[in-house]
């Protein structure tokens, strides 16, 4: 449901189109995103995609399509690819979050099916600049797990989940860390 409660993003599944050989991630299913206007009762299709997330001002919705982040402008129906999958390496966007002012997206990549790349990137949607790497853990780091980037309400920090010192293996709860 959009923050202004005027629209609902619905992800629909078409079971007849599912390729049984590719069911490792939700993006491998035949899905489509529809925006349902609660005032008019009309739904418009945005095409294929999963994991729709509303911008804070309810004017846009971001979603994943083929490992890339797409953003749809609800007023104009324009749909634009913002972050592309890296097809040569198999690296794709796995998680993302809107900044509180709706001008930026923080996002993460995964390589393969369930291997998260320990990096967090930020793209400014207003100025069109290239994405900026804001967190990069290398193989020598003790903390390779980085999950779930989320903005602080003031937009000045990004938090992420971390399993410090193999915390998941020892059944410790992951802790949130901040980038700025």
């Amino acid at each position: 449901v959009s923050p202004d409660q005027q629209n609902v993003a619905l992800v629909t599944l078409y079971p007849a189109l599912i390729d049984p050989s590719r069911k490792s991630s939700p993006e491998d299913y035949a899905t489509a995103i529809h925006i349902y206007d609660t005032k008019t009762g009309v739904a418009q299709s945005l095409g294929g995609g999963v994991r729709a997330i509303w911008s804070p001002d309810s004017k846009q919705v971001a979603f994943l399509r083929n490992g890339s982040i797409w953003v749809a402008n609800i007023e104009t129906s324009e749909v634009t690819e913002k972050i592309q999958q890296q097809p040569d390496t198999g690296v794709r966007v796995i998680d993302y979050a809107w900044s509180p002012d709706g001008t930026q997206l923080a996002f993460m990549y995964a390589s393969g099916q369930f291997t998260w790349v320990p990096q967090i990137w930020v793209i400014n949607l207003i100025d069109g600049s290239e994405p900026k790497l804001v967190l990069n853990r290398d193989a020598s780091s003790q903390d390779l797990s980085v999950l779930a980037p989320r903005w602080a309400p003031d937009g000045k920090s990004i938090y992420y989940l971390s399993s410090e010192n193999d915390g998941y293996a020892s059944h410790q709860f992951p802790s949130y860390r901040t980038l700025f």
Side-chain angles (χ1 to χ4, degrees):
V1 177
S2 62
D4 66 4
Q5 301 182 3
Q6 299 302 307
N7 294 289
V8 178
L10 304 168
V11 178
T12 57
L13 176 67
Y14 296 102
L17 300 177
I18 294 174
D19 178 352
S21 67
R22 297 188 62 207
K23 290 198 274 186
S24 60
S25 115
E27 290 183 71
D28 293 333
Y29 291 88
T31 60
I33 296 179
H34 301 274
I35 303 300
Y36 174 76
D37 184 320
T38 59
K39 286 184 179 178
T40 65
V42 175
Q44 70 176 21
S45 176
L46 300 179
V50 295
R51 198 158 183 277
I53 301 175
W54 287 99
S55 64
D57 65 4
S58 301
K59 294 181 181 179
Q60 300 179 91
V61 65
F63 58 94
L64 296 178
R65 176 187 291 164
N66 299 325
S68 302
I69 296 177
W70 292 72
V71 175
N73 181 311
I74 301 307
E75 294 170 350
T76 66
S77 300
E78 179 184 359
V79 180
T80 309
E81 186 176 28
K82 297 297 182 180
I83 302 296
Q84 294 182 341
Q85 175 185 12
Q86 300 171 6
D88 296 341
T89 62
V91 173
R92 59 189 169 76
V93 174
I94 191 70
D95 197 8
Y96 59 99
W98 285 97
S99 63
D101 66 2
T103 63
Q104 301 178 88
L105 286 170
F107 64 96
M108 296 182 58
Y109 287 113
S111 62
Q113 292 179 359
F114 301 105
T115 306
W116 281 260
V117 177
Q119 298 175 339
I120 296 176
W121 295 77
V122 172
I123 185 169
N124 185 317
L125 300 172
I126 303 302
D127 68 12
S129 60
E130 290 295 314
K132 177 182 167 187
L133 181 63
V134 296
L135 176 73
N136 187 17
R137 301 287 186 187
D138 62 23
S140 65
S141 173
Q142 292 293 319
D143 182 15
L144 287 177
S145 65
V146 173
L147 304 167
R150 297 297 180 259
W151 292 87
D154 65 4
K156 295 180 181 179
S157 301
I158 297 174
Y159 289 83
Y160 61 95
L161 282 173
S162 168
S163 63
E164 184 176 0
N165 299 323
D166 296 324
Y168 291 129
S170 62
H171 304 291
Q172 296 173 354
F173 288 104
S175 58
Y176 264 104
R177 297 187 175 191
T178 184
L179 292 177
F180 314 125

